[in-house]
Amino acid sequence: MLKIGPVPVDPPLILAPMAGVTDRDFRLIVRRIGGVGVVSMEFVSSRALVGGHRQATDVMVFSEEERPLAIQIYGSDADTMAEAARIVEEVGADICDINMGCPANKVLKGCAGAALMGDPRLAEEIVRRCREVVSIPLTVKFRLGLDSRNENFVELGRICEANGADAVALHGRTAKQMFGGSADWSKVAELKEAVSIPVFGNGDVREADDAVRMLAETGCDGVMIGRGATRNPWIFRQVEARLSGGRIEEPTLEDRRELILGHFRMVAEREASRFALHKLRKFTGWYTHGLPHGRRLRQRINQLPDVDSFLAAVEEFFEELAIRQAA
Ligand SMILES: Cc1cc2nc3c(=O)[nH]c(=O)nc-3n(C[C@H](O)[C@H](O)[C@H](O)COP(=O)(O)O)c2cc1C
């Protein structure tokens, strides 16, 4: 069984960190459906965490049911990152992950995220300092490099390994690409050849069979899935079924209804209504993708003023679909 340090990753699948998405509700949903080895929290600013800012400490909430859980931190100051890593261990995360792949401007300007790929010495210092202070497994997530002329993922992988990282995850795009083009899985294979710690391949796994193909084509130890899970939170269970030689079961309409309403009730309970509505619109867009008449629901919910009318519209949508299916 694949392990990151002593932490089992079974099956060898990780829910990728996604800001604004992999909050406690979504992680729980994915965990309850099953088939995921490790779930990741959305990234947290090391500076905000060390400063005790509410915006950072508020998101650091998780339940036992989510384990094993990775918390990702970002930042460009080695001392602050080390202190943040210590806090991550203290709150009880199973894995501390360092972000070196985020291409967002807000993060790049602070010389964090993918910008660290442009400064391997600083990247090395950060991994080393974090390693010195935590005893839980340490992982690093990065991209191919800043741009196609500066692809230093192999160098970075070796730096991580030499400084005590327990695993690395590679998103097969450069920072400059953002989310354009397609992820180059051959680079995942290259990294796997270059290091002996576990390598997780990441990028463009949309269907269960993509994950199986990535494992076979690259020889990577595990697969990290991001956007594929937002449209299809069942993807992990489906990959698991494939890996053990089984068939992929598609969720029924009833499964989808339960998932959407269950998720939305969780959001409604926890969030102030303005934020809840924003979140519900975003997730409805993903969850109804590919469903017959999904677009009609998506258009309708844009005009709804509050969470209750939102939930009612979703119920109605599924009732209509069920009637149509039965007809
Ligand atoms: C909405 C969104 C938020 C993201 N936030 C993070 C983040 O906080 N930390 C990180 O390392 N990557 C982040 N990513 C990148 C994903 O973890 C992943 O590397 C990328 O989406 C490629 O994988 P995929 O094709 O499976 O989605 C984010 C991606 C999306 C779409």
Side-chain angles (χ1 to χ4, degrees), residues 95-112:
I95 294 168
C96 177
D97 184 44
I98 299 175
N99 179 315
M100 294 197 188
C102 181
N105 265 339
K106 187 175 89 179
V107 179
L108 274 182
K109 277 196 195 115
C111 195

Side-chain angles (χ1 to χ4, degrees), residues 284 288 293-302 313-314 317:
T284 306
T288 59
H293 311 289
R295 184 190 289 180
R296 208 182 312 155
L297 177 67
R298 292 194 288 276
Q299 282 166 347
R300 177 158 174 218
I301 55 169
N302 282 332
V314 174
F317 171 77

Side-chain angles (χ1 to χ4, degrees), residues 16-19 21 42-43 72 99 141 171 173 179 202-205 224-228:
M18 286 182 284
V21 179
E42 41 194 331
F43 66 12
Q72 187 190 59
N99 179 315
K141 177 170 180 281
H171 175 191
R173 286 185 174 84
F179 289 92
N202 171 238
D204 298 350
V205 171
M224 177 182 266
I225 304 175
R227 292 166 297 173

